[in-house]
Amino acid sequence: MTQFKSVAIVGGTHGNEFTGIYLLKKWQQQIAEVSRPSFNTELVFANPRAHAENKRYCDQDLNRQFSEADLANPTLTGYEQSRAKAINQQLGPKGDARIDFIIDLHTTTSNMGATLLLLQQGEVYNKLAAYVQQQMPEVIVIRDDDHLAQADHRLLATLGKFGVIVEVGPVPQSVLRADVYQQSEQMTQHILDFLELWNKQQLPSLPSDIDAYRYTESLTLPLDDQGNRLGMVHPHVQDSDFNALEPGAPLFQCFDGTVMTYQGESIVYPGFVNEAAYYDNNLALSLHEKVTIKVSE
Amino acid sequence: MTQFKSVAIVGGTHGNEFTGIYLLKKWQQQIAEVSRPSFNTELVFANPRAHAENKRYCDQDLNRQFSEADLANPTLTGYEQSRAKAINQQLGPKGDARIDFIIDLHTTTSNMGATLLLLQQGEVYNKLAAYVQQQMPEVIVIRDDDHLAQADHRLLATLGKFGVIVEVGPVPQSVLRADVYQQSEQMTQHILDFLELWNKQQLPSLPSDIDAYRYTESLTLPLDDQGNRLGMVHPHVQDSDFNALEPGAPLFQCFDGTVMTYQGESIVYPGFVNEAAYYDNNLALSLHEKVTIKVSE
């Protein structure tokens, strides 16, 4: 059975998401807080230069650089493309990684609460999600794009044998909020507890299935022919991450006073609503469908 | 009697405060929306380069460059120091300005709601504040550092004969929120209406006095000897802009679990609580006292 011997907690993958970076600072002084008897934990400050510049990234989004093809491509020489190769050397190599489990700490400006992003499927992930939600019922579970082979996944957390993203909001970039800091810390501790209990085969009784969300697509703001924005997220959707969005409901408030409605054919659940990091690609929100994760057969 | 013949609306003084910039884009196409029969209105995009770089500023905070001494100092050659001189040429010169009234559009990540910052005192400001609050009762009025002579004031809006700041939040940097956009637009329109009514001597009956806040000091986060943060704003204060803060109340949540309390001797009212722009100088919040503005004798 899978055993977790090496765990890495990563912070500052995005340089202006302060919460993970400050949690790392704390744990660097008290590594026992994130250690457990059955495994070692390493702390990785992924993008210190972007943090020093108070930016999400310097050249490229670091959290899109971890496909095996890109990691092996010597022509990708930007700062984050190089950091990805260095982190791959430190924690990987991807596909045969030294690190068994990666926890990558992120925040969002969207009203997503405490969210656990699962990047793959399988027994470990399903039980982990059930355990974390049992300890912290407010946690929302997202299954990311699960049609993608791990080798093609571009997220840092896919570098380890297993990996998840802890994503908590709302918090502005460059800000530490006590509530978001505490939720991030609490969720991380529950994940570490789970790994310890798994290793010791002492998991508590878990529900047979849990509710989760599955990412389906992203929606772009309305734009004119030159790529200029014509509107913004409608108040009906703003701050309403994971609330049902029905066909025909208000979606965008245009600057000319008109309202654009959601044109889909079924109820969907928004996430990353009006996330600040997407200012340059005009993404308005992600859409998800509700799914059930079978925890035990 | 004072007449307002030339008005300037300024946006993007801080490059990552999107709301003012998008309002300018809209008004550039429909200048009639911000014009009035008795005056002309000009639109000024103050810091386009910082906006292109998605930053508050490139070299220096543009909104601290407008003292007469700095405007006259040829050794101050940074980008914003140069932009300030250019804007002074365009709208000023400060002390004898072509522009009678400047409205500078800002946003904050703090939960300050719709705030009108008065940078000087006098009949125009007092009646303006009363009028805007009469039209928009949720508006909070702040009197900025009123011991400072206008020549020494460093804010852009002090460049005109008269000037105010429209400050609305909470909204993350680099984000357009429909509610904040609409409040900013609404407050600007009420200010323009006031100037028109003033010019025509058709102001409605106003209350004899209104409540306001007067800035007294800023508080810094707790730091160690090396300048590292020891804590963050306590949840008791987070999002509680303009709520009474009593001596002995929780103020900072330290990373080591301890809580620091407010050590002042009287009740104060926080503002700019945990504003993202102050990440580099570790300002935690501003303090204000409640004051009464006499609108008529």
Side-chain angles (χ1 to χ4, degrees), chain B residues 53-278:
Chain B
E53 296 183 12
N54 194 37
K55 290 174 169 176
R56 182 176 174 89
Y57 57 82
C58 300
D59 295 338
Q60 304 88 20
D61 190 329
L62 178 58
N63 208 25
R64 304 291 184 273
Q65 306 305 324
F66 287 88
S67 73
E68 287 190 15
D70 285 352
L71 288 169
N73 183 343
T75 71
L76 301 177
T77 58
Y79 177 68
E80 279 80 9
Q81 291 163 341
S82 304
R83 277 298 296 155
K85 291 176 172 71
I87 294 168
N88 189 44
Q89 187 173 37
Q90 186 180 353
L91 306 181
K94 184 163 178 173
D96 183 28
R98 181 176 65 80
I99 297 291
D100 297 313
F101 201 100
I102 291 179
I103 305 170
D104 192 16
L105 302 177
H106 285 258
T107 57
T108 172
T109 67
S110 306
N111 187 28
M112 288 174 65
T115 303
L116 178 65
L117 272 86
L118 309 178
L119 308 177
Q120 299 283 319
Q121 298 189 58
E123 186 191 359
V124 167
Y125 291 110
N126 299 345
K127 289 189 172 169
L128 170 67
Y131 177 82
V132 171
Q133 217 173 48
Q134 190 178 57
Q135 308 301 316
M136 261 177 96
E138 70 271 31
V139 166
I140 286 173
V141 176
I142 298 185
R143 274 176 27 197
D144 202 25
D145 189 353
D146 47 20
H147 296 308
L148 211 57
Q150 188 165 3
D152 298 329
H153 244 299
R154 300 181 299 156
L155 303 176
L156 185 148
T158 64
L159 176 59
K161 290 197 183 75
F162 294 84
V164 294
I165 293 177
V166 167
E167 181 84 67
V168 186
V171 58
Q173 296 168 341
S174 317
V175 167
L176 274 188
R177 275 184 72 104
D179 51 0
V180 168
Y181 177 96
Q182 283 156 359
Q183 280 182 303
S184 302
E185 181 170 27
Q186 201 183 346
M187 213 193 318
T188 303
Q189 291 292 354
H190 289 312
I191 296 168
L192 295 171
D193 288 344
F194 170 85
L195 298 176
E196 172 74 3
L197 292 166
W198 173 283
N199 281 346
K200 293 187 168 165
Q201 303 188 43
Q202 292 178 353
L203 283 176
S205 168
L206 296 171
S208 60
D209 53 54
I210 62 168
D211 291 335
Y213 296 90
R214 184 180 158 274
Y215 169 83
T216 54
E217 62 174 323
S218 296
L219 296 187
T220 301
L221 290 168
L223 303 173
D224 70 12
D225 293 344
Q226 281 80 48
N228 299 306
R229 293 185 188 183
L230 295 172
M232 51 198 160
V233 171
H234 192 279
H236 179 73
V237 181
Q238 178 72 47
D239 303 328
S240 294
D241 300 71
F242 306 113
N243 288 354
L245 177 65
E246 302 190 351
L251 180 60
F252 298 124
Q253 174 65 56
C254 295
F255 301 128
D256 68 5
T258 59
V259 172
M260 295 174 65
T261 58
Y262 176 57
Q263 296 298 307
E265 292 183 349
S266 57
I267 289 176
V268 290
Y269 299 85
F272 290 103
V273 173
N274 214 359
E275 158 61 44
Y278 303 147

Side-chain angles (χ1 to χ4, degrees), chain A residues 54 176-177 239 274 279, chain B residues 54 176-177 181 239 274 279:
Chain A
N54 193 39
L176 274 187
R177 275 185 72 104
D239 303 329
N274 213 358
Y279 76 95
Chain B
N54 194 37
L176 274 188
R177 275 184 72 104
Y181 177 96
D239 303 328
N274 214 359
Y279 76 96

Side-chain angles (χ1 to χ4, degrees), chain B residues 24-50:
Chain B
L24 287 195
K25 284 182 202 240
K26 179 186 173 191
W27 292 329
Q28 272 157 358
Q29 292 171 16
Q30 309 166 44
I31 190 73
E33 277 195 31
V34 287
S35 305
R36 296 290 185 277
S38 69
F39 58 81
N40 292 315
T41 299
E42 300 173 32
L43 303 172
V44 179
F45 186 2
N47 201 337
R49 187 169 127 185

